Amino acid sequence: MTAAQRKPKPRTYDPAKVRAALDGQLTTLRRAVNALCEGPDAAATLAAPTRLGDWTVRDLIAHLAIALESLPVRLAQPAPGPAEPRVDVRGYLAAMRSGAEPVAAAAPAAARALGDEPAAAAARLDEAADRLASAVADADPAAPLATVLGPMTVADYTLTRLLEAVVHADDLAAATGVPFAHDRQALATVTRMLADALAAAAPGGSVEVRIPPFAVVQCVEGPRHTRGTPPNVVETDPLTWIRLASGRADWAAAVEDALVTASGERADLSGQLPLFG
């Protein structure tokens, strides 16, 4: 059987559980941003650099608001025709890997439009999260909506908003030094989504990737493991996995720092990562 024949079947996600995970993640994220913007050093905090190139913390918050607002904005636009091919979450990630992320370029301008008042940044994120929650609650998860990458269902696009909320919450924590308590279901869903994306991008059964307690996948072409201890095993924690998959962490450094254990001659995933960035 070829790697293409062994390509894993896409995982399905319960739209109601995804919405609940997104609500939980955004509740915590909004609380964290409001606390930052109300602090005595709010202006300096918002002007601080992040690990995202030239972006400041203010740019990051503006980007998050734009990313959340994009779903209600797209729902308000004419729906694509039923014959147009759909883009799923894997297609979205593949496009991001090639540099086609649709809203990142707008963040600095949006941040400048907020002005210097720290409360404006928190208010923008609050408003965006409220608009998103209202739009998702009223929308049919199977309904198509137009994106710059092609038509996506509301359910799949909601998953991408959850991905943004988890990855950028971690960016915010890295920039400010304030630990972030991710919603457990949000962290689990994004971990599984990215593990499945790896299995789809590098199909095969020679390497077992373990991300306890949320995901186990097999990937990479080669001899397939069927029983006993797998000869090639990679194991890491959910946040390290998300950082590796999103280009926030370096594979070699993570292995050296014992954040990743990789055993077996095929267990080097540096050629497959990041999945996007």
Side-chain angles (χ1 to χ4, degrees), residues 30-198:
R30 292 167 70 172
R31 188 180 299 123
V33 169
N34 274 274
L36 290 174
C37 292
E38 292 169 0
D41 298 322
T45 298
L46 292 179
T50 69
R51 60 190 179 189
L52 303 174
D54 295 332
W55 280 12
T56 64
V57 171
R58 188 189 299 273
D59 294 331
L60 175 56
I61 294 170
H63 169 77
L64 268 165
I66 295 169
L68 300 180
E69 290 168 348
S70 67
L71 195 154
V73 167
R74 297 187 191 289
L75 277 171
Q77 298 171 349
E84 295 185 53
R86 300 290 189 261
V87 176
D88 61 11
V89 173
R90 293 178 180 179
Y92 177 87
L93 289 170
M96 288 181 70
R97 186 174 189 176
S98 66
E101 211 289 326
V103 297
R112 289 193 296 272
L114 294 175
D116 296 329
E117 179 57 44
R124 174 70 188 277
L125 184 64
D126 283 339
E127 180 182 359
D130 287 339
R131 287 186 63 192
L132 173 63
S134 177
V136 172
D138 295 337
D140 176 1
L145 71 168
T147 79
V148 296
L149 306 177
M152 296 184 74
T153 65
V154 170
D156 277 346
Y157 200 73
T158 303
L159 277 168
T160 69
R161 300 310 87 188
L162 182 60
L163 174 67
E164 293 268 352
V166 169
V167 171
H168 288 314
D170 190 54
D171 290 332
L172 186 68
T176 62
V178 179
F180 187 89
H182 296 272
D183 177 86
R184 179 179 172 83
Q185 188 59 40
L187 194 62
T189 301
V190 171
T191 298
R192 292 169 185 145
M193 189 192 319
L194 295 176
D196 290 347
L198 171 66

Side-chain angles (χ1 to χ4, degrees), residues 194 240-249 273-277:
L194 295 176
T240 298
W241 168 240
I242 290 169
R243 291 164 187 160
L244 288 166
S246 62
R248 269 67 171 177
L273 298 173
L275 297 173
F276 70 97

Side-chain angles (χ1 to χ4, degrees), residues 216-264:
V216 178
V217 296
Q218 292 192 347
C219 60
V220 182
E221 179 63 20
R224 186 174 181 81
H225 165 68
T226 57
R227 64 177 63 184
T229 303
N232 302 284
V233 177
V234 172
E235 185 166 333
T236 189
D237 64 275
L239 276 177
T240 298
W241 168 240
I242 290 169
R243 291 164 187 160
L244 288 166
S246 62
R248 269 67 171 177
D250 175 74
W251 171 265
V255 171
E256 183 176 349
D257 293 340
L259 296 172
V260 173
T261 58
S263 60

